Amino acid sequence: MDYVLTANALSKQYGHFKALNGLSMHVPKGAIYGFVGKNGAGKTTFIRLVCGLQSPSSGDFTLYGIHSGEKEIRKARRRMGAVVETPSIYLDMTAEDNLKEQYRVLGLPSLDGIRELLELVGLSDTGKRKAKNFSLGMKQRLGIAVALAGNPDFLILDEPVNGLDPQGIIEIRELILKLNREHQITVLISSHILDELSRLATHYGFLDGGHIVQEISAAELEDACRKCMRIEVSDTRALACVLDTLHTDYKILSNTRADIYAKLNVSQLTLALAEKNCEVLSLQERDESLEHYFMNLVGGEENA
Ligand code: ADP
């Protein structure tokens, strides 16, 4: 597979604290890669390293196959746009002037393309309005337009829908899908809310404590989430014993109810339970929510 970005045992230490701890990941070309982790997991730190705003303590990454230690990494970064933390825009300027300024900073030879860019992000009718009078969603979209100056084919967005109202969230989502599907831009989006990403992402990297605990495609995640059975039995202590011997992942919900996170041979399970005088009262296949799946993986509370 062709990867736009890979990371190999990347670490970043602040004093004794490891914000990134041996992070390895793979962003396929053409993907919308959901980079999911709770607050403080290390998402922004990773993005800052890739953007060259900070250096790794150890490990490395490649961008378009160029190694982070090579001189050409600067050139590779020109093919990438990013909105890290808050959008880099001048609040006292109009949307158009912001883009003109970015074109100037990048040394782009002509201002061609600015009108198309404003249209693409839905800001072509903002005229003389200054960015300070924009809604949060408009500012975010202007930030994305600025990141798109120079025609990058890889876009990194750090928590792009944070603080946006539902309409703003929909607009950003539609813009990201359009950039990916119609303009073939690979996108890496960080978020602490998996359910929001699930409307977009083709791949996921789940981050916890500074390293990736799992990389999974959207299709694989969907499958994994389906493999949950809600079971009602006369005694979940007996159920737990049987599931332990089967090395199966489960969660006890009460004295009589539990969720089982694997496909099981139901007759084998029923027989094993009967031997322990435990009766199966009901069995129901159910979709595990993505957020729940993620929390099972990393521990902690939902939407933490
Ligand atoms: P996320 O983006 O996932 O919320 P961050 O990458 O911002 O996480 O932070 C990861 C951890 O590193 C946090 O515990 C944060 O407090 C710590 N951290 C980030 N930047 C610094 C810094 N400059 N100095 C010390 N600790 C930092």
Side-chain angles (χ1 to χ4, degrees):
M1 196 183 285
D2 233 0
Y3 295 109
V4 171
L5 172 68
T6 67
N8 178 31
L10 202 59
S11 292
K12 177 70 186 176
Q13 197 148 344
Y14 297 112
H16 291 299
F17 179 70
K18 280 192 172 169
L20 293 184
N21 189 6
L23 180 149
S24 296
M25 75 188 291
H26 309 81
V27 180
K29 185 166 185 267
I32 298 183
Y33 189 100
F35 188 39
V36 193
K38 289 186 277 185
N39 286 328
K43 302 181 293 295
T44 305
T45 303
F46 174 71
I47 290 171
R48 292 177 68 85
L49 295 188
V50 174
C51 292
L53 301 170
Q54 280 174 325
S55 306
S57 307
S58 63
D60 50 50
F61 63 86
T62 67
L63 199 54
Y64 301 103
I66 309 289
H67 199 273
S68 51
E70 291 176 50
K71 233 170 61 196
E72 286 73 26
I73 193 72
R74 283 165 163 262
K75 228 174 176 178
R77 281 200 183 101
R78 281 193 217 135
R79 293 178 58 183
M80 179 186 102
V83 183
V84 189
E85 290 160 307
T86 47
S88 328
I89 55 174
Y90 296 100
L91 295 174
D92 261 332
M93 287 186 184
T94 64
E96 188 180 342
D97 286 345
N98 263 285
L99 283 174
K100 281 184 181 162
E101 178 58 18
Q102 183 65 5
Y103 270 50
R104 195 188 60 74
V105 169
L106 294 176
L108 298 176
S110 100
L111 296 179
D112 286 353
I114 288 187
R115 199 174 332 146
E116 285 81 356
L117 211 44
L118 286 172
E119 216 156 282
L120 181 64
V121 300
L123 293 175
S124 50
D125 58 356
T126 52
K128 290 193 180 350
R129 271 172 77 187
K130 291 186 174 164
K132 65 181 168 196
N133 299 318
F134 287 3
S135 70
L136 209 56
M138 291 164 80
K139 285 180 189 153
Q140 190 63 265
R141 282 184 279 130
L142 179 55
I144 293 176
V146 168
L148 289 172
N151 265 331
D153 46 22
F154 179 36
L155 186 64
I156 296 185
L157 303 173
D158 188 15
E159 301 264 7
V161 299
N162 234 5
L164 299 190
D165 60 15
Q167 181 59 28
I169 292 176
I170 292 169
E171 283 163 3
I172 294 286
R173 187 192 305 151
E174 283 176 358
L175 173 59
I176 293 169
L177 284 172
K178 189 151 115 187
L179 293 174
N180 179 254
R181 291 180 185 165
E182 294 172 24
H183 298 261
Q184 286 75 47
I185 295 178
T186 304
V187 189
L188 177 121
I189 314 173
S190 80
S191 179
H192 64 288
I193 305 169
L194 179 57
D195 273 338
E196 170 51 35
L197 279 182
S198 70
R199 293 162 210 262
L200 303 168
T202 57
H203 295 77
Y204 297 91
F206 295 123
L207 181 73
D208 190 38
H211 73 280
I212 294 282
V213 286
Q214 186 177 37
E215 277 191 311
I216 191 168
S217 72
E220 288 166 336
L221 180 63
E222 210 174 290
D223 270 358
C225 285
R226 277 207 197 105
K227 280 188 206 147
C228 174
M229 278 197 293
R230 170 72 49 93
I231 190 166
E232 202 178 348
V233 291
S234 53
D235 178 7
T236 44
R237 279 172 309 179
L239 176 71
C241 284
V242 169
L243 292 175
D244 284 341
T245 59
L246 295 173
H247 304 290
T248 299
D249 211 11
Y250 63 88
K251 186 171 182 183
I252 302 294
L253 305 171
S254 72
N255 289 340
T256 56
R257 284 194 316 153
D259 278 344
I260 303 174
Y261 301 104
K263 281 246 182 284
L264 280 178
N265 180 326
V266 176
S267 29
Q268 189 191 7
L269 178 67
T270 314
L271 279 175
L273 288 172
E275 277 174 26
K276 293 194 179 296
N277 291 325
C278 175
E279 219 182 320
V280 177
L281 305 172
S282 74
L283 196 59
Q284 190 186 7
E285 200 156 323
R286 62 196 294 274
D287 280 357
E288 184 190 5
S289 93
L290 297 180
E291 208 69 37
H292 187 193
Y293 177 87
F294 172 56
M295 286 306 153
N296 269 339
L297 205 61
V298 303
E301 295 188 1
E302 298 198 8
N303 278 349

